Amino acid sequence: MPQTKFLLDESEIPTHWYNVVADMPNPPTPPLGPNGQPIGPEALTAIFPMALIEQEVSAERWIAIPEPVREAFRLYRPSPLFRAHRLEAALGTPAKIYYKNESVSPAGSHKVNTAIPQAYYNKLAGIKRLSTETGAGQWGSSIAMAGQMFGLEVRIFMVKVSYDQKPFRRSMMQTWGGQVFASPSMETQTGRNILAKDPNNQGSLGIAISEAVEEAASRADTNYSLGSVLNHVLLHQTIIGLEAKKQFEKAGDYPDMVFAPCGGGSNFGGVAFPFFADKAAGKNVRLVAVEPTSCPTLTKGTYAYDFGDTAGFTPLMKMYTLGHDFMPPGIHAGGLRYHGDSPLVSQLYHEGLIEAVAVPQLATFEAGVMFARAEGIIPAPESNHAIRACIDEALRCKESGEKKTLFFNLSGHGHFDMASYDRYFAGQLEDFSYPEEAIRASLANLPKVG
Ligand SMILES: *Cc1c(COP(=O)(O)O)cnc(C)c1O
């Protein structure tokens, strides 16, 4: 019988994270402060523990995973690598399709992989509380769970419209002990100012970030925590690709192409960077970030210094961006609606070392439903983007007769996103065309640097 699952023992959970900076042809571009000069690590100490700041700027190839973090990982890691025999048969493709199933984490996505170490390092630094923002709720639920594991209070500013629309994500965070506030809230000056002017404000990720950062910066016992984009977050996620490489060895195979959905870049970097190490050493492997056509950061954005948030509170980061005040259409893959992208992913893309494609919303749901009917797992709308791109390649292989080995990251399951599947089945989902005008207007507001 051909093998379907490739499993690792708990003892094979990686002991080190892989830092892609060690293999990049050029050093990463530094973040800049308000004066346009590179910021030093000390600029971040008000909101991050030193251990994470050190990881943020490290050029070491391997960074040890602390034992208490590996111990917590044993609750759901190593995650399985699957060979999608049934999807291959449904497509009639000669290509081999594999996927890494990150939906097995308690919160249902890869975000737990960074939530656990972030909670651990903050606890070690004597921090009592974490503040953060969440949009759709994937990150908020991951950090609520991780905070509970290490005895930290977690305060989550959840974009008001999602707070009202996704009550079960809120219940998850509360079950794990997280305190959830509809943002804008009365908890912060930022929130109070906005509500004074507009009591019915529906909130945005930019506002929620501002509230969380305000709280962390103004209290010594509180730090801020971010679920994507930053170098240390991508570092933590490399556990996905490192495990996958061991699993491909067991399968006696190796991918020709690796696909992952790309919002802030954390699960893409996590699965792709360990394969980039092989690519840097001369191996032929293509790494493909998949984004929505409605928020086409890599494929249609500009490589420039920009703010990480709408209000312009964060340092400037050099990244592909659609402009910090770009408002993407309300697609159902909430995790892919970020205006920017990880600076590491952006730099590698700029240097032609990784690839990106954009896919439209309806085609992603079509792919997700096809996957669920063949493989059983109902994917998150974000994950459907990688599945779409992988299926498209498998169909090209069907035409050409090529037997490529394709691999994608199933970043999460869709159990809390069934309302979007309902809308898809009811024919109420639409494709948003590329918002060229909105992007052009927003790019005109990029901050002037140097
Ligand atoms: C948040 C999220 C994403 C997008 O974020 P990245 O940082 O780009 O990985 C993708 N899939 C799922 C399931 C998510 O929760």
Side-chain angles (χ1 to χ4, degrees), residues 235-290:
L235 175 80
H236 300 158
Q237 294 294 354
T238 60
I239 195 155
I240 306 173
L242 292 168
E243 283 180 7
K245 283 172 75 171
K246 291 190 196 180
Q247 289 161 313
F248 269 106
E249 242 169 67
K250 293 206 169 178
D253 212 337
Y254 191 89
D256 294 299
M257 296 177 78
V258 179
F259 301 89
C262 192
S266 75
N267 91 93
F268 171 75
V271 73
F273 286 175
F275 289 94
F276 179 82
D278 294 347
K279 191 180 168 81
K283 191 133 184 146
N284 202 359
V285 50
R286 292 170 60 188
L287 310 171
V288 187
V290 190

Side-chain angles (χ1 to χ4, degrees), residues 109-111 138 228 262-267 335-336 380 382 411-412:
S109 83
H110 70 286
K111 290 199 170 75
Q138 292 271 24
S228 187
C262 192
S266 75
N267 91 93
L336 305 184
E382 292 85 357
S411 51

Side-chain angles (χ1 to χ4, degrees), residues 157 181-201 203 206-212 214-215 313:
F157 294 91
F181 306 99
S183 168
S185 76
M186 293 301 284
E187 299 289 310
T188 66
Q189 198 54 50
T190 306
R192 288 189 291 271
N193 288 349
I194 292 170
L195 289 173
K197 279 191 213 129
D198 176 12
N200 293 319
N201 189 296
I207 293 172
I209 294 177
S210 304
E211 288 204 271
E214 179 189 318
E215 191 167 276
F313 284 179

Side-chain angles (χ1 to χ4, degrees), residues 80-149:
L81 178 78
F82 281 76
R83 170 88 185 268
H85 291 292
R86 297 169 62 90
L87 179 63
E88 289 168 22
L91 294 168
T93 178
K96 290 184 273 182
I97 302 177
Y98 293 84
Y99 60 95
K100 183 82 165 146
N101 183 6
E102 289 299 311
S103 82
V104 298
S105 86
S109 83
H110 70 286
K111 290 199 170 75
V112 179
N113 300 334
T114 185
I116 288 174
Q118 289 194 41
Y120 167 77
Y121 287 118
N122 276 290
K123 178 69 179 184
L124 210 61
I127 288 297
K128 301 277 185 284
R129 314 195 316 169
L130 291 177
S131 67
T132 195
E133 73 286 334
T134 198
Q138 292 271 24
W139 170 241
S141 32
S142 299
I143 193 73
M145 190 200 75
Q148 182 61 232
M149 282 178 165

